[in-house]
Amino acid sequence: MKADNAPPAPSPGNMAALSAAKKVLRLEMKRRVAALSDAEKRRQTEAVSRRLIAHPKYQNCQRIAVFLSMSDEIQTEDIIKDVFQRGKECFIPRYKSRSNHMDMVKLASAEEIHHLPLTSWNIRQPAEDGLLEEALTSGGLDLILMPGLGFDKHGNRLGRGKGYYDTYLERCLQHSRGRPYTIALAFKEQICDQVPVTETDKQIDEVLYEVP
């Protein structure tokens, strides 16, 4: 599903109302995914992964950022293996716990993931003090795979409330390579009619999920 030409995000206006609407939708999206069996999540992960690997934007990219998935997200480990098998450069998120800052740092191999420390979110990421290549200090990125709790047909994304990816996409605009193409990976249960947004929320280019 590609984002259509949606109107600009509305003015924040009543931020309290927007915040409340997002909170309600986050709970609903979490409830929907929690109802899925492990087998169903694996099945949809395989279907979405196949769609991504066949996608021209994926096939033609060289520098790609991939999120390390949590249990309630499309699993990305096999995608990362495919990235390395194709000789692409893979970057993964590194969050700074004391701020809402995120970098995309270069991964040396798919096997390296299993040796990374666990965060409080129970996902692996490189140590905050590690000296690793950051995508925006070198060649930029061609493609970013986006996580999220919910998505709509306009390319609006419901994150977990920290703004990591919105801020990072804003930083990408300062790079000579410009804004990378963005593809979200989702369970079909995460697609909703409308995601409430503020003027700081960034639209994504495309959402991949299993379609009948």
Side-chain angles (χ1 to χ4, degrees):
M1 179 183 68
K2 287 190 177 181
D4 59 17
N5 295 321
S11 168
N14 189 338
M15 290 299 294
L18 279 171
S19 178
K22 285 187 175 187
K23 184 176 181 179
V24 169
L25 188 57
R26 284 190 182 101
L27 290 173
E28 170 62 15
M29 293 295 103
K30 288 179 179 179
R31 183 195 65 77
R32 289 188 191 180
V33 175
L36 298 175
S37 67
D38 289 344
E40 176 63 12
K41 286 190 283 188
R42 283 195 300 272
R43 191 188 66 77
Q44 289 197 43
T45 286
E46 290 170 2
V48 171
S49 298
R50 286 195 299 269
R51 291 194 66 196
L52 174 71
I53 288 169
H55 197 294
K57 290 289 186 181
Y58 175 81
Q59 292 186 354
N60 295 327
C61 78
Q62 182 58 32
R63 293 165 65 89
I64 178 174
V66 186
F67 63 93
L68 299 186
S69 45
M70 293 190 284
S71 61
D72 60 352
E73 295 172 331
I74 291 289
Q75 298 299 293
T76 58
E77 188 169 342
D78 286 345
I79 293 170
I80 291 172
K81 290 177 182 177
D82 188 80
V83 168
F84 282 100
Q85 287 171 0
R86 292 172 186 265
K88 302 178 187 294
E89 295 177 79
C90 186
F91 295 80
I92 59 174
R94 179 172 66 187
Y95 308 96
K96 292 193 175 179
S97 57
R98 296 179 183 177
S99 68
N100 287 353
H101 184 86
M102 177 182 74
D103 288 321
M104 293 292 184
V105 296
K106 193 170 184 178
L107 189 65
S109 69
E111 293 71 29
E112 182 187 2
I113 294 171
H114 303 290
H115 304 291
L116 298 176
L118 280 170
T119 69
S120 58
W121 286 7
N122 203 36
I123 56 174
R124 297 189 181 277
Q125 75 162 28
E128 290 187 20
D129 56 356
L131 297 177
L132 298 171
E133 177 186 337
E134 205 289 315
L136 296 184
T137 64
S138 53
L141 290 166
D142 302 312
L143 175 63
I144 299 180
L145 301 185
M146 305 279 289
L149 291 175
F151 309 91
D152 68 22
K153 66 179 181 179
H154 301 301
N156 294 315
R157 167 183 166 271
L158 181 71
R160 295 180 187 269
K162 298 293 187 180
Y164 287 118
Y165 278 87
D166 294 321
T167 302
Y168 193 78
L169 288 175
E170 187 67 33
R171 288 170 56 202
C172 287
L173 295 175
Q174 312 305 315
H175 194 277
S176 59
R177 205 179 189 112
R179 187 184 189 275
Y181 196 78
T182 50
I183 296 178
L185 308 180
F187 297 113
K188 58 188 177 184
E189 288 77 10
Q190 293 177 292
I191 308 303
C192 53
D193 292 335
Q194 184 175 6
V195 171
V197 293
T198 69
E199 60 187 5
T200 60
D201 292 324
K202 305 297 182 189
Q203 286 186 319
I204 52 181
D205 295 306
E206 194 167 350
V207 183
L208 289 188
Y209 58 98
E210 185 187 40
V211 292

